[in-house]
């Protein structure tokens, strides 16, 4: 990748196979990207064969660079907007991805703060829902020193997920539910709101308990950092495509012109 044409509009003509080889794709993938609006429409020879230009290579560079940071769906929408001459829509989509990354960072920091604030509490219980640790709402509420209505409120907020006894319909809290209820109780006592506690409980469940969560948080940091860097790389390629697209460069501020070659 990284083709650097001198004139994207009037430069060399490329066959689908040329574009595919430069980007390590199949020719069918190139055609699919064109059909999806990720690439501008190809030219045609008198015989009906597709022809591309270095501008198409820049578009493909931009799309492939956007995918790691924004995901395939958003990267596709960004490129479609640019190719429809709607740069403001493309910028809005980019902004939304950055806002989501910021929100994910805030969630991670909230989880880490909550874990630091946790004191000694209920140890993680086995995942087997049929274990002897199963409890009904009354005994669990008594164990934690709270009202049964509080547990039901936590259930509505997604902090605990008890199953129902098929015969009686009563809530049954498995070992993991007891663990999650204990964590929620400790964090509520520490002043955390339910909406702050929910992401932590979700991470504990995904990690399989508190102990594996430390490694999961490290991986989470790495993933967010990788996404941030990927967004920077994608922005650079998208900017190159915007500057060279359409001769004048879609999205260039009025009065700003491309420097002339010397």
């Amino acid at each position: 990748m990284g083709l650097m044409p001198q004139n994207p509009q009037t430069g060399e003509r490329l066959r689908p196979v040329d574009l595919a080889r430069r980007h390590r794709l199949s020719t069918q993938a190139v055609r699919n990207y064109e059909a999806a609006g990720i690439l501008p429409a190809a030219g045609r020879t008198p015989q009906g064969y597709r022809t591309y230009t270095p501008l198409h290579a820049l578009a493909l560079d931009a799309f492939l660079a956007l995918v790691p940071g924004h995901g395939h769906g958003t990267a596709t929408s960004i490129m479609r907007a640019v190719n429809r001459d709607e740069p403001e829509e493309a910028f809005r989509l980019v902004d939304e991805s950055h806002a989501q990354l910021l929100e994910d960072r805030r969630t991670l920091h909230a989880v880490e703060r909550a874990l630091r604030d946790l004191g000694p509490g209920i140890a993680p219980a086995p995942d087997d829902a049929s274990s002897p640790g199963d409890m009904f709402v009354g005994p669990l509420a008594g164990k934690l020193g709270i009202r049964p209505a509080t547990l039901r409120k936590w259930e509505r907020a997604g902090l605990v997920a008890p199953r129902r006894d098929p015969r009686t319909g009563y809530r049954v809290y498995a070992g993991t539910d007891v663990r999650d209820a204990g964590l929620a109780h400790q964090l509520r006592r520490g002043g955390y709101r339910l909406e702050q506690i929910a992401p932590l409980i979700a991470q504990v469940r995904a990690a399989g308990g508190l102990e594996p969560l430390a490694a999961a948080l490290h991986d989470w940091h790495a993933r967010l950092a990788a996404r941030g860097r990927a967004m920077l790389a994608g922005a650079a390629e998208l900017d190159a495509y915007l500057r060279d697209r359409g001769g004048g460069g879609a999205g260039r501020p009025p009065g700003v012109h491309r420097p002339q070659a010397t």
Side-chain angles (χ1 to χ4, degrees):
M1 294 199 303
L3 181 65
M4 299 296 292
Q6 290 185 344
N7 189 328
Q9 297 298 315
T10 60
E12 62 183 306
R13 288 189 352 181
L14 304 171
R15 301 167 300 168
V17 66
D18 298 324
L19 205 59
R21 285 173 178 166
R22 295 185 187 201
H23 295 82
R24 298 181 181 179
L25 299 169
S26 68
T27 54
Q28 186 58 53
V30 173
R31 296 189 190 99
N32 291 344
Y33 288 152
E34 181 193 347
I38 293 166
L39 303 182
R44 297 280 181 165
T45 67
Q47 296 77 26
Y49 295 113
R50 286 179 174 84
T51 61
Y52 296 106
T53 70
L55 182 66
H56 291 87
L58 283 173
L60 202 45
D61 282 340
F63 172 71
L64 295 175
L66 287 168
V67 169
H70 299 271
H72 191 281
T74 298
T76 296
S77 297
I78 291 169
M79 295 303 296
R80 285 174 175 167
V82 171
N83 293 329
R84 291 194 308 264
D85 291 322
E86 298 175 1
E88 291 301 320
E89 172 63 10
F91 299 151
R92 183 189 68 79
L93 292 165
V94 170
D95 289 345
E96 284 186 350
S97 280
H98 281 280
Q100 183 60 59
L101 178 61
L102 178 59
E103 184 60 30
D104 290 347
R105 289 190 190 281
R106 287 173 174 163
T107 298
L108 172 58
H109 294 155
V111 168
E112 290 178 323
R113 285 196 304 272
L115 284 174
R116 286 195 297 268
D117 290 345
L118 278 174
I122 298 175
D127 291 336
D128 183 2
S130 64
S131 71
D134 288 358
M135 301 182 72
F136 290 109
V137 63
L140 179 56
K143 178 181 179 70
L144 296 174
I146 60 177
R147 295 180 302 160
T150 299
L151 280 172
R152 290 191 283 269
K153 182 179 180 180
W154 291 355
E155 181 182 350
R156 291 192 296 273
L159 306 188
V160 290
R163 72 184 192 278
R164 294 283 185 155
D165 185 283
R167 293 176 300 153
T168 65
Y170 293 159
R171 291 172 173 84
V172 180
Y173 295 82
T176 51
D177 299 312
V178 174
R179 174 201 66 198
D180 295 344
L183 292 174
H185 181 50
Q186 288 180 305
L187 291 168
R188 287 293 287 153
R189 290 176 61 184
Y192 285 85
R193 300 188 303 275
L194 296 184
E195 58 269 27
Q196 295 174 309
I197 297 171
L200 170 62
I201 299 296
Q203 289 298 318
V204 171
R205 288 175 186 155
L210 283 171
E211 234 175 85
L213 185 57
L217 291 176
H218 179 78
D219 291 342
W220 195 357
H221 271 290
R223 289 197 304 272
L224 292 181
R227 269 174 60 197
R229 295 193 65 174
M231 284 182 179
L232 290 176
E237 295 290 352
L238 180 61
D239 181 63
Y241 180 51
L242 284 166
R243 283 188 288 106
D244 286 305
R245 186 177 178 277
R252 183 184 293 114
V256 180
H257 303 286
R258 190 187 314 166
Q260 298 295 316
T262 57

